[in-house]
């Protein structure tokens, strides 16, 4: 996963090409309740290749963007000229005040919208998924869980070794091409 972020940012853009960046930015604008973006300083944590960044800048925000991966920042700098920092969470190297701080992953579940800050951090031979989830009504949830990146074949073999017949299905829904395994006991 890390190599995608460091060496192949253009591939990351291709993989994420169906992502609704405009929806995410609209979520931020809606939360700001009509405040003029031109009057606001915005810090974007985890800017990746700058798709949100360029939209925030086009909306008029004074944007400072950060990402821990130089490959991602290099690609973002090709898209929009803002103040960039090579860093992640924790350890934000910015010594300024901001009106808005975003780390975008916005979505909907059961007719409720949310935004979350997510970072995968090395944890031995695994990854740790750290997230903070914000709801429009002000609830904040913090979650950490261990993760290990496996390809689909490794997952299918492991399920079979535990006595399960696994049928791979593409995606969680109509516009999602991730693999879901539907398992039944043998």
């Amino acid at each position: 996963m890390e190599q995608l972020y460091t060496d192949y940012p253009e591939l990351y853009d291709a993989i994420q090409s169906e992502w609704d960046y405009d929806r995410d930015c609209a979520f931020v604008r809606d939360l700001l309740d009509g405040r003029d973006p031109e009057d606001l300083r915005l810090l974007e944590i985890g800017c990746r290749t700058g798709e949100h960044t360029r939209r925030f800048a086009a909306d008029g925000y004074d944007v400072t963007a950060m990402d821990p991966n130089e490959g991602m920042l290099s690609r973002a700098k090709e898209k929009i000229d803002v103040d960039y920092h090579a860093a992640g969470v924790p350890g934000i190297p910015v010594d300024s005040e901001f009106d808005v701080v975003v780390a975008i992953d916005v979505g909907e579940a059961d007719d409720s919208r949310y935004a979350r800050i997510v970072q995968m951090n090395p944890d031995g031979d695994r990854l740790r998924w750290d997230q903070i989830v914000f709801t429009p009504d002000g609830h904040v949830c913090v979650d950490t869980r261990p993760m290990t990146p496996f390809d689909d074949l490794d997952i299918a073999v492991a399920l079979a070794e535990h006595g399960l017949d696994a049928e791979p299905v593409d995606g969680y829904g109509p516009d999602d091409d991730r693999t879901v395994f539907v398992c039944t006991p043998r």
Side-chain angles (χ1 to χ4, degrees), residues 14 18 21 31 33 56 59 80 94 106 115 146 157-158 161 176 186:
E18 298 295 319
Y21 294 102
L31 287 178
D33 199 26
F56 287 135
D59 283 346
I80 188 72
V94 180
V106 175
V157 168
E161 288 174 354
D176 191 324
R186 286 190 190 149

Side-chain angles (χ1 to χ4, degrees), residues 3 17 60 65 76 95 114 138 169 181:
Q3 191 175 16
S17 65
D95 187 21
Y114 67 86
V169 178
F181 290 91

Side-chain angles (χ1 to χ4, degrees), residues 3 13 21 37 40 55 76 88-89 91 94-95 101 106 110 112 124 129 139-140 149 158 164-165 167:
Q3 191 175 16
D13 271 348
Y21 294 102
L40 302 174
R55 286 167 172 80
V89 176
V94 180
D95 187 21
V101 177
V106 175
D110 299 327
S112 178
W129 177 280
H139 288 95
V140 179
L164 297 170
D165 288 327
E167 178 185 341

